[in-house]
């Protein structure tokens, strides 16, 4: 027959060292086990630090839920952590067999989600009036504000895209490098009626060009072509 340790009364079973310090306790009424505590509130209740695999062996650690055998998985051989899967491919790998996989970051009542739905990746800041801000190790570089405006170098964009270049950046604020020889590099489609489609303001320009066009390889086309197909009989100045 199996040997048993049994408490003699309703006080439970205590394991102490020779100094009377509690090591482990089994509560009589619930069979809960306490380590470092005489009032365990769960089947196993440890009051203090806990170390798994202290010998640093290739041993895994797994937590099972009612719907997933690998709700939490620590791979001792690859030093990776998986949530929802048995083979984490990265340092932290969250996965589901179907549907949306979501990582939520929350502070108080405000939260942000990163969601993968199998096809698309969504980044959502659900805080009221909240922005999505991108930093490097020194400063803010880009943000998407609550109105959907994007600022690069600008933390209060007033247009759908606003790029602000510092006076010492040493690089162009906006550059298009198009290597497709039969495609338009920049295309603007506008439904404007009484506003400029392109508005260039150079109030401080004194020694250069507001627009500079260089077309050294031009043979049959025009470096700058401005046309109008207006049906109006009034005189229209294409360039003034």
């Amino acid at each position: 027959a199996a040997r048993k340790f049994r408490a003699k009364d309703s006080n439970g079973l205590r394991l102490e060292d020779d100094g009377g310090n509690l090591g482990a306790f089994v509560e009589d009424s619930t069979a809960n086990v306490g380590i470092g505590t005489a009032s365990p509130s769960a089947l196993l209740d440890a009051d203090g630090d806990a170390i798994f695999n202290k010998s640093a062996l290739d041993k895994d650690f797994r937590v099972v839920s009612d719907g997933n055998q690998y709700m939490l998985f620590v791979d001792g051989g690859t030093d990776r952590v998986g949530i929802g899967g048995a083979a984490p491919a990265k340092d932290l790998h969250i996965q589901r067999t179907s549907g949306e996989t979501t990582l939520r970051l929350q502070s108080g009542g405000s939260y942000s989600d990163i969601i993968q739905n199998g096809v698309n990746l969504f980044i959502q800041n659900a805080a009221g009036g909240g922005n999505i801000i991108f930093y490097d190790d020194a400063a803010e570089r880009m943000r998407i504000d609550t109105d959907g405006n994007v600022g690069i170098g600008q933390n209060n964009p007033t247009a759908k895209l606003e790029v602000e270049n510092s006076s010492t950046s040493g690089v162009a604020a906006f550059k298009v490098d198009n290597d497709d020889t039969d495609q338009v590099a920049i295309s603007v489609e506008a439904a404007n009626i009484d506003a400029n489609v392109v508005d260039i303001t150079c109030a401080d320009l004194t020694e250069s060009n507001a627009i500079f066009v260089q077309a050294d390889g031009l043979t049959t086309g025009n470096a700058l072509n401005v046309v109008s197909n207006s049906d109006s009989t009034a005189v229209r100045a294409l360039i003034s």
Side-chain angles (χ1 to χ4, degrees):
R3 296 184 178 273
K4 301 178 181 179
F5 289 95
R6 182 171 295 172
K8 300 171 66 174
D9 52 37
S10 60
N11 291 327
L13 176 65
R14 296 174 62 95
L15 299 179
E16 301 177 347
D17 62 15
D18 57 1
N21 298 308
L22 177 64
F25 176 77
V26 181
E27 192 172 51
D28 179 71
S29 59
T30 63
N32 289 346
V33 177
I35 299 176
T37 175
S39 56
S41 58
L43 190 60
L44 176 61
D45 188 347
D47 186 4
D49 297 336
I51 300 175
F52 297 89
N53 195 18
K54 186 175 183 179
S55 299
L57 302 176
D58 184 1
K59 301 295 183 182
D60 301 332
F61 174 79
R62 179 161 60 108
V63 175
V64 178
S65 71
D66 61 352
N68 195 318
Q69 291 294 307
Y70 294 89
M71 194 65 249
L72 175 65
F73 181 71
V74 179
D75 192 322
T78 63
D79 299 332
R80 293 169 177 168
V81 177
I83 298 177
K90 301 295 180 181
D91 292 340
L92 176 61
H93 188 169
I94 305 173
Q95 64 186 106
R96 295 173 60 93
T97 56
S98 63
E100 292 184 348
T101 299
T102 303
L103 174 64
R104 173 164 292 186
L105 306 175
Q106 184 161 351
S107 175
S110 301
Y111 64 87
S112 297
D113 289 339
I114 301 175
I115 306 167
Q116 166 59 249
N117 72 351
V119 178
N120 299 311
L121 176 70
F122 300 89
I123 300 176
Q124 178 190 21
N125 183 358
N131 304 311
I132 297 177
I133 304 173
F134 298 84
Y135 269 79
D136 65 6
D137 61 344
E140 176 183 333
R141 298 305 181 188
M142 185 176 78
R143 75 167 51 200
I144 305 172
D145 71 13
T146 188
D147 294 320
N149 295 338
V150 177
I152 299 176
Q154 169 60 260
N155 61 14
N156 186 29
T158 58
K160 287 306 177 185
L161 174 62
E162 182 172 349
V163 180
E164 182 169 329
N165 206 7
S166 71
S167 60
T168 59
S169 70
V171 297
F174 183 72
K175 180 179 179 180
V176 176
D177 187 351
N178 182 33
D179 294 325
D180 194 332
T181 59
D182 60 354
Q183 293 297 320
V184 175
I186 299 176
S187 177
V188 178
E189 295 185 10
N192 300 47
I193 296 177
D194 55 2
N196 297 331
V197 174
V198 178
D199 191 349
I200 299 175
T201 302
C202 307
D204 299 323
L205 182 67
T206 58
E207 299 177 0
S208 191
N209 305 297
I211 298 177
F212 175 70
V213 180
Q214 182 172 347
D216 293 339
L218 191 66
T219 58
T220 59
N222 302 304
L224 180 63
N225 187 23
V226 181
V227 299
S228 173
N229 294 317
S230 172
D231 293 332
S232 174
T233 58
V235 175
R236 298 294 178 213
L238 298 185
I239 299 178
S240 63

